[in-house]
Amino acid sequence: MAQIKITLTKSPIGRIPSQRKTVVALGLGKLNSSVIKEDNPAVRGMITAVSHLVTVEEVN
């Protein structure tokens, strides 16, 4: 499957608790931290929920 790189570009401080928990569930802690995840509908849904806080790139 394809993989995607997710980077936390904005702080979750001051956001609603569900968005903060989604950022943690994606494995993102500090600002500018990145994780590589499999591209599947569950991860895409989490990215959509916090799209204003993260950037997404495709990994080959």
Side-chain angles (χ1 to χ4, degrees):
M1 278 200 85
Q3 292 185 328
I4 51 177
K5 179 180 178 183
I6 309 161
T7 305
L8 184 63
T9 55
K10 290 189 178 180
S11 175
I13 295 173
R15 306 294 175 178
I16 60 176
S18 63
Q19 291 178 353
R20 287 200 240 171
K21 289 178 184 177
T22 301
V23 168
V24 172
L26 284 169
L28 300 168
K30 296 183 177 181
L31 224 52
N32 296 319
S33 61
S34 297
V35 292
I36 296 178
K37 298 278 188 184
E38 290 294 326
D39 189 7
N40 60 42
V43 172
R44 284 290 179 173
M46 294 170 81
I47 291 170
T48 302
V50 293
S51 62
H52 55 289
L53 302 176
V54 298
T55 57
V56 180
E57 305 170 25
E58 296 218 3
V59 177
N60 292 333

